[in-house]
Amino acid sequence: MDTIAAICTALSPSGIGIIRVSGESAIEITDKIFKSPDKKTLADSKTHTIHYGHIFDGDEIIDEVLVMLMKAPRSYTMEDVVEIDCHGGILVLRKVFNLLLNNGCRPSEPGEFTKRAFLNGRIDLTGAEAVMDLISSKSELARKNSISHLNGKMYSIIKEIRENILYYIANIEACLDDPEHMSLDGFEDELEVKLKEIRVKIEALIKSYDSGKIIKEGINTAIVGKPNAGKSSILNMILNEERAIVTEIEGTTRDTLEETIDIGGITLNLVDTAGIHDSEDVVEKIGIERAKSAIEKADLVLYVTDSSKDPDNMDDQIISLIEGKKSICLMNKSDLQREMTKQEINAHFEDCETRPVFLYTSAKTGEGKEELFNTIKELFFEGQLSFNDEIMVSNLRQKNNLVDADASICKVLESIENGMPEDFLSIDLMSAYASLGEIIGEEVNDDLVDKIFSEFCMGK
Ligand code: GDP
């Protein structure tokens, strides 16, 4: 395989910039441009050592560096790897990188280092995907879940299920090959019990996808309500800073404003929308359209009302837009004289199948903030957000494979019920085995592998 190189750190002026080289000729190529004061080559040095020296272009010193040497197989890719710690200037990094290319490296593709780690058997596909998730994690829980995947938790669960299935496939095949000496008496009962157990595990994993996705990507939250209800103030209260402009003139939030915040380990992607009311103003009309589309895309709607005023038919319009969404009705301005009670606003939801949770808040005093955060956690995680030991499926690819595996297992159970012959069972068991194999990358085609790794960042 080619020897690849990449600049692994962001290209901006910084203390250190790292260039990574991996492949058969990584050490030989680096030795051509690197010299240490004691003249010892990397080829003659022990693995897992750090070397001080300079990068040369002919006789000219390009940079003063530290070189990390990791000989195969004890490296990220399981190939010979050299990491060069340069000074983090853009020009410096480009020059050293070009020298490596001129001496026989080729630039790596996105994710190629991790792809090699996968192809060389150091990590499975769930581990490789976790690397990317870890880099992009926005909350503490997302990070924890990625690290569990990276440490092979998903891999070991899937591997164990596959081993169980394989045992039964082997049994069936052996009996079919040698019916005189081997019997399948009582076999189907045992298989049925085992498959039901397996289904419980698979279904739990499938179910975890929703939480996993929310943890990974955050809860898309739209803040809606009539003009002046206090949407921007509520956004500021949640963010704890004066980000949105708050004024006393109706219709100040003309466009949508987006912010991200971590509340106790989960991410809220907040969109403050223009007040929803019939508007003649063109700019505002666009804002209102955006508010409607923000509601459509939202996982959660925070419907802000002014509890110092009576609800009116504009509230009904908004309620019709948020119908069917997970929502929390914030009865804001609770510090003022109360005109709207929970019962009154609740009555406006009469025709709705789902009702929001009602909370009194005051963006002015901060009342209701903690309750709001707790309610969000309740709504999405039914209070089980401890992230104990459970693993969450964090991408659709894995979920789809689990759904396929589950469908095949259901077919086996049906066949058992209908008294179908054993070779029938074996076919569906095989396809469950294959679908599970795809998750960890043991039965996966090259195109899919290329697609997965192409979404990685450079140098990883
Ligand atoms: P928006 O149009 O819905 O975004 O409303 P704003 O956040 O701009 O607030 C409109 C007005 O209501 C401003 O004068 C805020 O200071 C005021 N306001 C917002 N929340 C509260 C609150 O909880 N209590 C009181 N007393 N005033 C509030």
Side-chain angles (χ1 to χ4, degrees):
M1 257 203 261
D2 296 347
T3 297
I4 52 172
I7 300 173
C8 297
T9 42
L11 265 180
S12 57
S14 52
I16 295 172
I18 300 175
I19 296 178
R20 178 144 65 171
V21 190
S22 176
E24 241 168 46
S25 314
I27 296 172
E28 184 195 326
I29 293 172
T30 314
D31 266 334
K32 287 188 197 165
I33 62 167
F34 170 73
K35 288 187 180 65
S36 67
D38 61 7
K39 307 271 186 299
K40 198 172 172 189
T41 62
L42 297 172
D44 289 334
S45 304
K46 276 196 197 150
T47 184
H48 289 75
T49 46
I50 298 175
H51 304 264
Y52 167 82
H54 294 89
I55 297 290
F56 279 85
D57 181 3
D59 293 333
E60 188 193 353
I61 292 180
I62 302 298
D63 195 12
E64 179 192 34
V65 297
L66 282 179
V67 169
M68 232 173 287
L69 179 64
M70 287 158 279
K71 292 186 178 172
R74 283 175 56 210
S75 72
Y76 185 63
T77 55
M78 292 186 80
E79 302 171 336
D80 283 340
V81 169
V82 177
E83 273 182 25
I84 309 174
D85 280 17
C86 305
H87 288 101
I90 298 168
L91 189 72
V92 174
L93 284 171
R94 288 234 166 92
K95 277 201 110 147
V96 177
F97 181 59
N98 284 334
L99 277 171
L100 288 165
L101 300 190
N102 293 341
N103 282 282
C105 290
R106 85 161 156 77
S108 76
E109 289 161 16
E112 198 171 358
F113 291 90
T114 311
K115 184 176 173 180
R116 288 185 176 198
F118 164 65
L119 293 175
N120 293 330
R122 201 179 81 85
I123 46 174
D124 77 297
L125 208 48
T126 62
E129 285 172 324
V131 170
M132 202 56 216
D133 289 344
L134 186 63
I135 293 172
S136 53
S137 26
K138 287 186 278 188
S139 72
E140 184 56 12
L141 286 179
R143 184 196 63 75
K144 278 190 175 166
N145 197 37
S146 308
I147 269 292
S148 291
H149 277 263
L150 186 55
N151 285 343
K153 190 142 190 209
M154 178 66 103
Y155 175 72
S156 40
I157 295 173
I158 300 293
K159 192 167 155 255
E160 193 193 322
I161 299 178
R162 285 186 95 217
E163 275 166 6
N164 279 317
I165 294 177
L166 192 61
Y167 167 80
Y168 290 105
I169 296 173
N171 254 289
I172 295 175
E173 299 297 323
C175 290
L176 292 177
D177 279 353
D178 188 6
E180 279 173 33
H181 295 99
M182 295 189 70
S183 142
L184 284 171
D185 281 351
F187 171 79
E188 289 184 354
D189 293 340
E190 184 191 325
L191 178 62
E192 190 174 355
V193 172
K194 193 72 206 175
L195 289 183
K196 283 184 177 161
E197 271 173 40
I198 290 177
R199 277 204 74 202
V200 171
K201 287 186 191 162
I202 292 183
E203 280 179 347
L205 286 174
I206 294 173
K207 212 168 148 229
S208 76
Y209 172 72
D210 289 340
S211 310
K213 184 168 179 283
I214 290 278
I215 282 182
K216 185 172 155 188
E217 294 169 13
I219 301 171
N220 292 327
T221 309
I223 306 179
V224 303
K226 290 190 294 195
N228 246 19
K231 297 178 294 301
S232 307
S233 310
I234 287 288
L235 175 70
N236 289 339
M237 176 182 90
I238 296 173
L239 294 173
N240 240 342
E241 54 188 299
E242 295 287 311
R243 196 69 63 91
I245 325 147
V246 180
T247 69
E248 284 179 30
I249 310 151
E250 288 200 354
T252 26
T253 314
R254 295 200 146 192
D255 208 334
T256 52
L257 230 154
E258 298 192 24
E259 297 281 352
T260 295
I261 183 183
D262 184 330
I263 55 162
I266 53 174
T267 306
L268 288 191
N269 305 316
L270 290 155
V271 183
D272 176 18
T273 63
I276 299 175
H277 61 141
D278 293 322
S279 167
E280 290 304 315
D281 183 325
V282 181
V283 182
E284 234 176 52
K285 262 205 165 133
I286 297 170
I288 292 164
E289 283 310 312
R290 293 219 182 127
K292 288 182 183 164
S293 96
I295 293 174
E296 271 167 33
K297 285 187 224 145
D299 305 307
L300 170 70
V301 178
L302 299 183
Y303 168 34
V304 183
T305 60
D306 182 343
S307 65
S308 70
K309 292 185 178 155
D310 283 320
D312 57 28
N313 63 1
M314 205 162 341
D315 287 288
D316 294 322
Q317 278 183 42
I318 299 172
I319 287 167
S320 69
L321 288 175
I322 66 175
E323 153 98 85
K325 286 271 166 190
K326 261 190 187 146
S327 50
I328 302 174
C329 176
L330 302 181
M331 308 185 57
N332 192 38
K333 308 200 187 180
S334 62
D335 53 295
L336 300 179
Q337 171 78 29
R338 185 169 299 159
E339 293 297 333
M340 183 200 292
T341 62
K342 283 188 185 177
Q343 285 78 5
E344 267 177 308
I345 185 80
N346 198 3
H348 286 254
F349 286 87
E350 212 167 33
D351 299 332
C352 300
E353 274 181 27
T354 54
R355 306 249 164 149
V357 178
F358 297 94
L359 293 181
Y360 284 112
T361 57
S362 166
K364 197 166 186 177
T365 66
E367 189 204 332
K369 183 174 168 175
E370 281 312 307
E371 217 183 335
L372 171 62
F373 289 174
N374 291 335
T375 307
I376 294 174
K377 287 179 201 162
E378 272 302 309
L379 272 179
F380 285 85
F381 302 97
E382 292 154 4
Q384 300 169 351
L385 199 62
S386 54
F387 198 85
N388 294 327
D389 246 4
E390 77 268 40
I391 185 106
M392 285 179 244
V393 173
S394 55
N395 75 47
L396 191 58
R397 182 191 77 80
Q398 294 173 14
K399 183 197 167 188
N400 287 341
N401 285 143
L402 286 163
V403 169
D404 290 347
D406 193 40
S408 302
I409 292 173
C410 282
K411 280 192 194 156
V412 181
L413 288 168
E414 253 172 56
S415 301
I416 294 175
E417 205 162 290
N418 296 333
M420 304 297 270
E422 277 79 16
D423 44 352
F424 248 84
L425 311 182
S426 164
I427 293 171
D428 290 320
L429 283 173
M430 289 284 248
S431 72
Y433 183 77
S435 300
L436 294 168
E438 266 192 52
I439 296 176
I440 53 176
E442 286 192 7
E443 306 215 8
V444 70
N445 64 40
D446 292 351
D447 289 350
L448 181 67
V449 171
D450 287 346
K451 186 177 162 289
I452 291 171
F453 288 99
S454 67
E455 283 158 19
F456 272 55
C457 51
M458 221 42 185
K460 193 63 222 175

